[in-house]
Amino acid sequence: MRQVWKRLRAGEEISYLITLAAATTIILIVVALVYELWSASTLPIQKFGFSFLKGMNWDPNAGDFGALPFIYGTCITSFLALLIAVPTGIGASIFLAELAPPKLSNAMTFLIELLAAVPSVIYGLLGIFVLIPILRSYVVPVLTGIFGFLPIFRGTFYGVSVFSAGIVLSIMVVPFIISVSREVLMAVPTDQREAALALGATKWESTWDIVIPNARTGIIGSIFLALARALGETMAVTMVIGNTPQIAASLLAPGYSIAAVIANEFTEATGDLYLSSLIFLGLVLFGLTIVINALARILILTTQQKGAA
Amino acid sequence: MSAPERLNPTISQHRRVVNGVMLSLTGLCTLLTVSVLFFILGYIVYHGIGSLSWAFFTKLPKPTGEAGGGMANAIIGSGKILLLATLIGVPIGFLAGVYLSEYSGRTFAFIVRYVTDLLNGVPSIVIGIFAYAMVVKPMRHFSTLAGGVALGIMMIPIAVRTTEEFLRAVPVALREGAMALGANKAVAIFTVVVPAAIQGLTSGMMLNLARVAGETAPLLFTSLGNMYWSQGWLQPTSALPVMIYQYAISPYEDYHQQAWAAGFVLLSLVLTINVTARLVITRSGLTARR
């Protein structure tokens, strides 16, 4: 016993082994996670196979499960979110990296990163009680007035909709685009800007034609990062999307997303097939976000290395 | 407009206008984003304080239709879940971070970092499914423990990243000094390197805690919810974010008021921790981020 205590105190190997064990635990957790998701979704995989992903019907009572409305809902809301968040985010990151004095830029970035710290359920709360009334009384009437001839802006607006979910998501992901893009822009060497200005370019031309192309892959990486966030976001979307499994042409119609259907129906799922269909949806979402996250990381890494070189 | 542009007569009116318009637009984008934050803060504070009362902190929720009541059980429930999450997530993450920063070889460290990043990217609802499969299903009921496990797993990746970055920021000379005095590597790490980074480490862990404190999705089918006090660790418990969700989607005006109050409490908690931790990190000139 004394021997053990002595070795423990001197314990070079022991401290190594303990930290190694912790690192291994993380790998085991992730392996277990993938295994659990996979093994729990064998039932729908065997029963429906790939047609699960293109099935239009979600009818738990009839035992018929198709994922397409949810996949569509997840993709369209994320797409809408990016449509708004990407221009705003890139614009703001240009201002913060190229124009604003360092002190102002840091203060603004600090505030914008706080936006990322706001819990998603709070975004949902504000979505229901603030954003939807604003959309209903001001934004949507104008949109339908101007673009009413387009099928995407037709139909009655009840408030909860794909459109509302997209807007909430855009606010939630914009901080990620800004903070990563700003850093990538700041990593572009100053000589590039100076060279462009010396050749007679305006500030905007030097930024748009020289700095942005230099930082392009990193900016795209930040967009992918934001996309992964948007795809996996649960609460805020669940609260404003309307939770109706359908694929409507109009953005003003309610929809449903993968994360939302899991959140809503998991505890109520009766029967093994129902529950494992929901878990299979979780697996699909997991796969989707993993691929996009990996792409984002590779893109950001390449730019940073190029900037450092 | 800067000096070279004014001096250069070849810059046409058109280019000058484009320059001015586009640069103003970028400023507008920044303003827009920052004002959203102030709008959110203002709105939550305005509505939240109005709905807040002493009963909110001390009373149990009232059945639907009855006025009054509070969320005392949800506040305690959230505290219990977060305590468990910290006890699970921080030690594993911290030790793995020490491994990556101090001991790691190349290949295994690459795998660990890669897998940690992967875990960080997993949507929170999927973590909820995992905790359900690992804890709720074998034990056959929803519990505080399951919620703690879910949030604990969510804390691991950031804990690893924070520890690794802050330990790496400690100068090598400190390690060499300790070893020159006869300490072995383990002693050097835990008595010299870690204490040198302790301020950053605690701030990082606080940020990490603040991040999961607002998580709702992984709790929906792990800790579930409870309108009464939750006994011990193996019963379902209510938690502040889950209460906000349930009350917000309910049709009762009374519940909405409570949801605003809860939103205010949660947001103040999360943002206070966030701002304090970030200020500590910037003040002390520590380099690591998030």
Side-chain angles (χ1 to χ4, degrees):
Chain A
M1 192 64 213
R2 188 170 223 167
Q3 207 67 30
V4 174
W5 178 239
K6 210 170 167 187
R7 280 199 59 181
L8 199 81
R9 275 187 53 177
E12 182 61 22
E13 299 93 342
I14 288 170
S15 122
Y16 171 75
L17 285 177
I18 290 176
T19 58
L20 180 69
T24 316
T25 310
I26 299 176
I27 296 179
L28 291 180
I29 288 175
V30 173
V31 169
L33 186 122
V34 175
Y35 173 78
E36 282 291 343
L37 285 179
W38 181 259
S39 68
S41 35
T42 42
L43 218 57
I45 291 175
Q46 279 167 0
K47 183 149 190 245
F48 304 113
F50 262 106
S51 66
F52 181 80
L53 298 179
K54 3 177 250 214
M56 285 288 293
N57 267 335
W58 184 265
D59 188 353
N61 295 325
D64 190 13
F65 298 98
L68 199 61
F70 309 111
I71 297 174
Y72 168 79
T74 296
C75 292
I76 190 77
T77 48
S78 305
F79 175 74
L80 268 177
L82 289 187
L83 210 60
I84 302 165
V86 168
T88 320
I90 294 180
S93 60
I94 289 176
F95 178 80
L96 293 170
E98 306 291 320
L99 292 177
K103 263 197 176 153
L104 179 71
S105 171
N106 286 337
M108 291 283 207
T109 311
F110 185 89
L111 291 175
I112 289 171
E113 283 176 356
L114 279 189
L115 208 52
V118 175
S120 67
V121 72
I122 304 259
Y123 280 108
L125 187 67
L126 288 160
I128 294 179
F129 295 110
V130 184
L131 181 75
I132 285 181
I134 292 178
L135 289 180
R136 187 160 37 208
S137 29
Y138 304 106
V139 180
V140 169
V142 174
L143 276 177
T144 46
I146 303 172
F147 300 108
F149 60 93
L150 293 170
I152 52 169
F153 288 119
R154 268 196 207 138
T156 332
F157 181 72
Y158 297 107
V160 285
S161 62
V162 170
F163 184 63
S164 317
I167 292 187
V168 174
L169 275 181
S170 74
I171 299 170
M172 296 182 71
V173 300
V174 88
F176 294 96
I177 298 185
I178 295 178
S179 71
V180 177
S181 296
R182 170 180 175 256
E183 270 170 44
V184 176
L185 286 175
M186 294 206 302
V188 175
T190 321
D191 348 359
Q192 299 272 350
R193 300 181 180 88
E194 287 168 353
L197 291 175
L199 288 171
T202 61
K203 178 81 185 167
W204 171 253
E205 286 163 348
S206 106
T207 305
W208 190 251
D209 297 329
I210 308 298
V211 180
I212 297 267
N214 258 304
R216 194 176 49 217
T217 34
I219 293 176
I220 296 174
S222 82
I223 296 171
F224 275 81
L225 209 64
L227 177 61
R229 287 274 154 182
L231 292 173
E233 177 47 48
T234 312
M235 297 323 294
V237 173
T238 310
M239 290 162 90
V240 298
I241 199 173
N243 301 335
T244 315
Q246 60 172 9
I247 299 179
S250 173
L251 297 178
L252 305 180
Y256 222 152
S257 80
I258 298 180
V261 72
I262 301 174
N264 273 324
E265 299 185 3
F266 201 86
T267 47
E268 291 155 16
T270 43
D272 286 345
L273 184 64
Y274 192 1
L275 195 66
S276 46
S277 293
L278 286 170
I279 296 178
F280 189 30
L281 276 177
L283 184 67
V284 171
L285 187 65
F286 174 79
L288 219 60
T289 47
I290 290 310
V291 170
I292 287 166
N293 259 316
L295 277 176
R297 212 156 290 286
I298 293 167
L299 289 172
I300 293 170
L301 220 67
T302 8
T303 346
Q304 276 171 350
Q305 277 162 357
K306 220 169 56 185
Chain B
M1 217 163 269
S2 57
E5 287 163 28
R6 232 183 296 116
L7 291 175
N8 191 339
T10 58
I11 292 181
S12 66
Q13 188 70 27
H14 168 73
R15 287 171 61 200
R16 224 168 263 169
V17 170
V18 169
N19 184 46
V21 169
M22 294 314 282
L23 293 184
S24 325
L25 276 181
T26 63
L28 205 67
C29 290
T30 316
L31 207 65
L32 186 74
T33 317
V34 175
S35 53
V36 167
L37 175 74
F38 284 114
F39 179 77
I40 291 176
L41 290 183
Y43 208 92
I44 293 271
V45 169
Y46 174 74
H47 264 260
I49 287 193
S51 325
L52 209 56
S53 64
W54 186 237
F56 178 85
F57 295 101
T58 53
K59 293 251 165 50
L60 284 177
K62 282 268 166 68
T64 45
E66 278 180 54
M71 291 196 186
N73 59 341
I75 296 172
I76 301 291
S78 269
K80 279 163 77 177
I81 293 173
L82 289 176
L83 178 69
L84 272 180
T86 311
L87 289 179
I88 294 166
V90 170
I92 297 179
F94 169 72
L95 290 172
V98 171
Y99 173 79
L100 287 179
S101 148
E102 308 294 325
Y103 286 113
S104 64
R106 290 200 97 170
T107 327
F108 191 64
F110 175 81
I111 298 173
V112 173
R113 271 192 207 103
Y114 184 83
V115 167
T116 308
D117 276 349
L118 204 141
L119 187 59
N120 194 28
V122 177
S124 57
I125 188 98
V126 175
I127 301 275
I129 296 180
F130 178 56
Y132 174 87
M134 296 301 279
V135 185
V136 177
K137 222 163 85 185
M139 296 177 71
R140 290 173 181 282
H141 52 83
F142 301 101
S143 62
T144 311
L145 177 70
V149 168
L151 295 193
I153 294 173
M154 291 198 71
M155 284 182 82
I156 292 176
I158 307 278
V160 174
R161 190 94 55 81
T162 319
T163 310
E164 192 190 355
E165 282 187 32
F166 281 118
L167 291 189
R168 275 177 193 270
V170 174
V172 184
L174 244 62
R175 295 179 177 82
E176 291 170 349
M179 281 157 119
L181 290 172
N184 66 25
K185 203 169 172 184
V187 173
I189 292 169
F190 288 101
T191 62
V192 176
V193 180
V194 170
I198 198 74
Q199 210 179 13
L201 288 176
T202 20
S203 312
M205 296 305 169
M206 293 310 284
L207 276 180
N208 197 356
L209 189 68
R211 192 182 73 114
V212 297
E215 278 297 343
T216 317
L219 298 182
L220 289 176
F221 32 83
T222 49
S223 66
L224 194 67
N226 192 340
M227 290 308 255
Y228 307 97
W229 292 107
S230 161
Q231 309 291 336
W233 303 91
L234 300 178
Q235 296 297 320
T237 183
S238 124
L240 219 41
V242 179
M243 286 298 262
I244 298 176
Y245 168 62
Q246 286 167 347
Y247 275 23
I249 59 170
S250 79
Y252 310 105
E253 184 51 35
D254 236 35
Y255 276 7
H256 296 168
Q257 292 305 321
Q258 296 266 330
W260 283 114
F264 171 68
V265 171
L266 182 66
L267 192 66
S268 328
L269 193 80
V270 168
L271 290 189
T272 312
I273 298 177
N274 228 284
V275 170
T276 324
R278 275 161 197 265
L279 285 181
V280 169
I281 292 177
T282 5
R283 279 279 164 71
S284 54
L286 297 163
T287 46
R289 296 177 307 265
R290 269 158 297 161

